[in-house]
Amino acid sequence: MGSELENLNQEIISCRKCPRLVAWREDVARVKRKAYKDQEYWGKPVPGFGDPQARVLVVGLAPGAHGSNRTGRQFTGDASGGFLYPALYRAGFANQAQAESRSDGLILKDMYITASARCAPPGNKPSPEELNNCQPYLEREIQIIKPKVIVCLGRVAFERILRIYSIRGASFKFSHGASYRISNSSLNLHPSSLLCSYHPSQQNTLTGKLTGKMFDDVWVKAKELIRDE
Ligand code: SF4
């Protein structure tokens, strides 16, 4: 399984399917933010990260321009990760709260983190076409990992997962803390649960839309859903 994921990640890293995003991610990496001007930016698609045996798959939106587009690891080096990883540490999914670089010693246990799009988009908004281009990578991760629980960080990730599982219907609505059972997919023969959370972007965390307590409750619930399988 490890090598299947490694092969997939190598493929992802060399992807250039979306011309707009390729140009943007490379431009940001060339120009850099002043605070990071001495660093070499990753500037490529950001692969998934974590435990290949994970029962919990976390799906975010897309790399931050100066976060994971700089460091090359999901949610690493920006404010979203600064909110996410301490919560994962408190919940026991991470061995440390800090996430600064690919070599900072961070290890995830029973969790794999990925994204709806792998390249940093302007304004944090990948287009529908770009999300479609990137979807096969997410499908293959699901096929390889066969997660029991998928945690969607934000509405874009939730809608992408509904699309992958061909789920339609008014009963599937994004709201923070909502969970749903899904089954009978060709991608994953095991029944799985979907769990929704607001994305830990500053837009949500600085406004109080997503508090530390609300986020902690998501990871407690993810653990309960694993136990219920
Ligand atoms: S967003 Fe996905 S499909 Fe588009 S270039 Fe990046 S890795 Fe490739």
Side-chain angles (χ1 to χ4, degrees):
M1 186 192 288
S3 64
E4 257 185 285
L5 264 184
E6 280 162 28
N7 291 342
L8 173 59
N9 286 341
Q10 284 311 315
E11 207 180 308
I12 290 170
I13 289 168
S14 55
C15 183
R16 302 180 71 83
K17 269 191 250 175
C18 308
R20 184 183 80 118
L21 299 189
V22 170
W24 172 257
R25 76 189 191 208
E26 293 179 358
D27 196 48
V28 168
R30 197 167 40 248
V31 175
K32 303 181 185 181
R33 180 175 277 173
K34 208 171 167 189
Y36 307 124
K37 69 176 182 349
D38 296 333
Q39 295 185 18
E40 188 173 342
Y41 273 51
W42 175 255
K44 297 187 281 279
V46 179
F49 161 65
D51 180 356
Q53 313 286 341
R55 289 177 295 175
V56 180
L57 181 73
V58 178
V59 185
L61 171 58
H66 302 281
S68 52
N69 187 55
R70 172 173 60 89
T71 61
R73 195 179 65 193
Q74 296 288 340
F75 283 97
T76 299
D78 62 11
S80 297
F83 198 83
L84 174 67
Y85 285 113
L88 297 182
Y89 174 64
R90 291 193 294 274
F93 286 113
N95 70 329
Q96 63 185 44
Q98 298 75 31
E100 283 147 21
S101 72
R102 295 200 306 288
S103 56
D104 60 11
L106 175 64
I107 296 169
L108 296 183
K109 189 172 156 229
D110 212 5
M111 177 173 284
Y112 195 82
I113 301 180
T114 187
S116 306
R118 319 297 168 128
C119 295
N124 288 325
K125 282 201 173 75
S127 70
E129 188 190 353
E130 289 157 353
L131 287 164
N132 289 343
N133 286 346
C134 220
Q135 182 175 316
Y137 297 134
L138 182 52
E139 292 176 0
R140 283 165 62 193
E141 282 171 328
I142 293 170
Q143 283 169 327
I144 295 169
I145 295 172
K146 297 184 171 52
K148 302 287 185 202
V149 177
I150 299 178
V151 181
C152 300
L153 297 180
R155 187 183 299 274
V156 171
F158 179 66
E159 287 173 356
R160 195 50 41 183
I161 290 294
L162 293 188
R163 198 180 168 108
I164 286 175
Y165 280 84
S166 302
I167 297 169
R168 289 187 194 85
S171 54
F172 284 85
K173 282 198 181 105
F174 179 83
S175 73
H176 182 81
S179 64
Y180 302 97
R181 297 284 296 176
I182 51 173
S183 59
N184 298 327
S185 164
S186 58
L187 290 170
N188 183 352
L189 298 175
H190 304 279
S192 297
S193 297
L194 271 189
L195 176 56
C196 301
S197 169
Y198 290 138
H199 190 282
S201 64
Q202 279 192 309
Q203 211 180 340
N204 291 332
T205 58
L206 291 183
T207 56
K209 185 173 178 184
L210 178 63
T211 65
K213 167 78 171 70
M214 287 165 70
F215 211 34
D216 284 346
D217 288 347
V218 165
W219 308 113
V220 169
K221 187 149 183 184
K223 289 195 150 178
E224 285 170 6
L225 291 168
I226 296 172
R227 275 199 299 271
D228 292 347
E229 287 290 337

